[in-house]
């Protein structure tokens, strides 16, 4: 399945500043059971109504449960959660 996390930073400068460390954080998910691939993209638009980054994960349904319970997920929420203006989560086959 595909699991998307689409997020918009409160401070738009965080997109460039934090992108390398967020990429490294989510690369760690590749060691989790059921996670097959992860791609992190940053927006190429500075428009105010655009989101900042999109994290795309390829994983099994069980892998999503493993990710949700992982240290990576907890760190994502703890370190970056307050920096986000909004986010959307979308899952599909």
């Amino acid at each position: 399945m595909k699991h998307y996390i689409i997020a918009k930073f409160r401070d738009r400068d965080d997109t460039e500043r934090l992108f390398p460390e967020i990429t490294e954080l989510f690369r760690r998910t590749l060691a989790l059971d059921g996670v097959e691939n992860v791609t992190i993209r940053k927006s190429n638009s500075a428009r105010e109504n655009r989101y900042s980054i999109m994290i795309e994960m390829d994983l099994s349904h069980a892998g999503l449960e493993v990710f949700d319970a992982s240290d990576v997920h907890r760190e994502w929420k703890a370190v970056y959660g307050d920096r986000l203006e909004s986010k959307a989560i979308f899952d599909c086959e």
Side-chain angles (χ1 to χ4, degrees):
M1 71 179 287
K2 295 278 192 183
H3 176 70
Y4 295 92
I5 303 167
I6 305 168
K8 183 177 183 179
F9 291 112
R10 293 181 194 283
D11 179 348
R12 299 298 280 200
D13 291 335
D14 279 351
T15 303
E16 289 298 325
R17 184 172 41 249
L18 300 176
F19 188 78
E21 64 191 64
I22 291 170
T23 298
E24 184 58 34
L25 175 66
F26 275 87
R27 291 274 177 235
R28 290 177 21 210
T29 65
L30 295 172
L32 300 174
D33 288 338
V35 178
E36 300 164 11
N37 192 36
V38 63
T39 304
I40 301 96
R41 294 183 170 95
K42 60 183 170 180
S43 177
N44 64 359
S45 174
R47 293 181 180 191
E48 196 56 38
N49 66 341
R50 300 296 195 262
Y51 278 70
S52 308
I53 62 169
M54 180 175 72
I55 301 157
E56 175 185 346
M57 300 176 74
D58 294 297
L59 37 64
S60 65
H61 288 275
L64 180 58
E65 298 300 322
V66 171
F67 168 67
D68 281 345
S70 73
D71 289 340
V72 171
H73 191 235
R74 283 190 290 280
E75 186 174 338
W76 163 248
K77 290 175 126 183
V79 174
Y80 303 100
D82 288 344
R83 295 174 185 246
L84 301 179
E85 179 179 316
S86 60
K87 72 176 180 178
I89 308 299
F90 184 80
D91 297 323
C92 62
E93 293 302 324

